[in-house]
Structures are given as C-alpha cells and as structure tokens.
Amino acid sequence: MHAIRVATAVTGAALAAALVAGCGGSGGPAGASATGTGSGSTVTASAAAASAAGDNGVAQLPADQVLQRAVQALKDAGAVRAAGSVSGEGSRIDMDLRMDTSGDCTGTLSQSGTGSFQVVKSGPDLWVKPDREFWQSHGGEAMAQLVGDRYLKTTSDNPDFGEIGSLCDLGALADSLGGADSGLAKGAPATVAGRPALALTADSDTGTGTMYVATTGSPVPLKLEKATGAVEFSDFGTPVPSATPGPDQSLDLDQLQSPAPTASLV
C-alpha cells in the first residue's frame, strides 16, 4: 500500500505548491483564523448578494493591504469551495474540494495518467477512494478487487497523507497566500464569476501569478491564476457536508495487507 500513500502525497504536494506559486509568497498569517462552520450553519452570502453589497474599498488600498484583507476575508468565510486545475512536470492535477477552517473537507483530486480519488476528512479521520484508473497505475487488479467500491481509511497524522490533509485546512491555505512584503502589484479591474474584482500580480521563477480579489461585499479572493492553470473560489460560508463513510464503506488502510506478494504496487 506504500505506493498509494506516495501517489496521494505527491498529488497533494504538487497541488498545494501550484495553488500559491507566484500568487503571494512567504508572508505569515494576516490575522486570527475564524472557527469553522459546522453542519447546518447558515450560508454567509451568495455571489449575487455580495456583488450587490457595494464597493468594499480595497481598490483604493496598497497591494499588500488588499492581500491582507483578502486573507482575513477567506478565513472569516469559514468554508469555501476551491475548484480548478494546474499543470506541471508533464501532468495535470484537477481539484474540486469543499474545505473549512476546522480542517474538514470533501471532494475529488485527480492527476492525468494516474487516476483520481475522492477525499473525505472529518477531524483527524481521513478517507480516500481511488478510482479504477488509479488502481491500474498503483495497485493492479488484485488490489482493485480487494478494495472494491470502498474508501481506504487512515488519519491526518499519517505522514504519507500529510499533504492531502493540509489541503483541507482553509486557514492554512489562506495564510499561504502571503502577508506583508509579498511583492504583489495591483493590476487592472476584472470580473470573476460575475463579480467585480481587482487583480494582484506577483512574479516568481515559475512565471507570473495573479490573484483576483472581490471589490464588492467581502474582499475574498475569487481566483488564483497563472500560465499553468487556475483555481476559483466560490460558495463562501457553505458548510462542508458532514456525512462520512461508514464501516461498511471503508477499509482500514493501516491494517490492510497486500492481497498477494506478486501484486504490483509501483
């Protein structure tokens, strides 16, 4: 099962790096993190309502202050959906994750030529459910038949899945976008998903990255973009679904043994 752990960790690490590369940098936290939203919490605002809320004033601020407000607004939202794709080293990684500041999440990660897996994280518990293409690359038919249509259960303390767990933490993602002295510059006004936004740009050794920050309602980041791909944020404040796979839907990854010594796990 080691190959599965390595593959999921590599996917998570690559995606985490691509999310923030060129779009902020090494700044620290921009403010205190809000608590995560629980099941049944009220959605804070729809995109239409936020757009109608009027100018939030960030367009008149220096770039670093806009970034700081965007980081805090993302935390204050408590939960968000992040969806998009990035490319690097000859492959494309797609994501569609709902995450919150408690570190809970649910969604899908995939890598071209490798397959995809569903992710569910609730507290310290973590479930991953690879598809058949993933098994063909990392486990073979015997492993696919053993697991079947079930999740593999582990915990976020498992070092081989640390990068996957970190993707679920909205507060950590917000902080990774940068802080003071980020080197960002203000760009032209834009519209993202029908909402007015201000572009913030930064150059890195991998190219220019752009963050689009809402200029009406809460100044949340709406999109991260660079030549290698883009990720959009939406559904601010919508709670992460609380349902988790039951015992009949999962296998304990840490206790699962290879079905046969000849199974390919490369």
Side-chain angles (χ1 to χ4, degrees):
M1 301 305 294
H2 180 66
I4 294 173
R5 296 175 178 180
V6 170
T8 53
V10 168
T11 300
L15 182 57
L19 273 172
V20 299
C23 292
S26 59
S33 176
T35 57
T37 57
S39 176
S41 297
T42 302
V43 176
T44 56
S46 66
S51 181
D55 191 316
N56 58 28
V58 297
Q60 288 73 49
L61 299 175
D64 280 348
Q65 290 186 30
V66 177
L67 174 63
Q68 290 171 18
R69 292 203 180 185
V71 169
Q72 188 60 50
L74 189 57
K75 294 180 182 181
D76 290 343
V80 73
R81 178 184 181 184
S85 63
V86 293
S87 299
E89 299 184 358
S91 66
R92 189 184 75 182
I93 298 174
D94 298 302
M95 72 175 294
D96 189 347
L97 287 177
R98 294 181 180 273
M99 65 188 78
D100 64 23
T101 48
S102 294
D104 296 340
C105 75
T106 182
T108 305
L109 297 173
S110 65
Q111 187 169 11
S112 60
T114 300
S116 66
F117 47 94
Q118 296 177 44
V119 178
V120 178
K121 182 175 178 293
S122 179
D125 294 323
L126 176 67
W127 294 262
V128 295
K129 183 180 181 181
D131 65 3
R132 180 158 290 276
E133 182 182 2
F134 187 97
W135 286 126
Q136 290 174 346
S137 301
H138 296 92
E141 186 61 28
M143 189 65 70
Q145 291 184 8
L146 173 64
V147 178
D149 189 33
R150 290 183 288 186
Y151 288 83
L152 299 171
K153 183 181 179 182
T154 184
T155 69
S156 55
D157 294 331
N158 185 328
D160 292 315
F161 286 83
E163 295 292 349
I164 298 295
S166 67
L167 284 176
C168 294
D169 189 339
L170 178 57
L173 173 61
D175 283 338
S176 72
L177 298 180
D181 301 321
S182 62
L184 287 166
K186 292 169 67 174
T191 301
V192 178
R195 191 167 173 185
L198 172 69
L200 299 178
T201 63
D203 295 324
S204 72
D205 54 4
T206 59
T208 300
T210 304
M211 177 192 303
Y212 295 92
V213 179
T215 56
T216 59
S218 178
V220 290
L222 299 174
K223 185 177 183 180
L224 301 178
E225 181 179 56
K226 59 186 310 184
T228 53
V231 174
E232 292 195 22
F233 298 105
S234 62
D235 296 348
F236 299 96
T238 300
V240 173
S242 59
T244 59
D248 60 333
Q249 299 174 297
S250 60
L251 291 173
D252 191 330
L253 176 62
D254 299 323
Q255 296 179 5
L256 187 62
Q257 300 296 318
S258 300
T262 58
S264 173
L265 298 180
V266 297

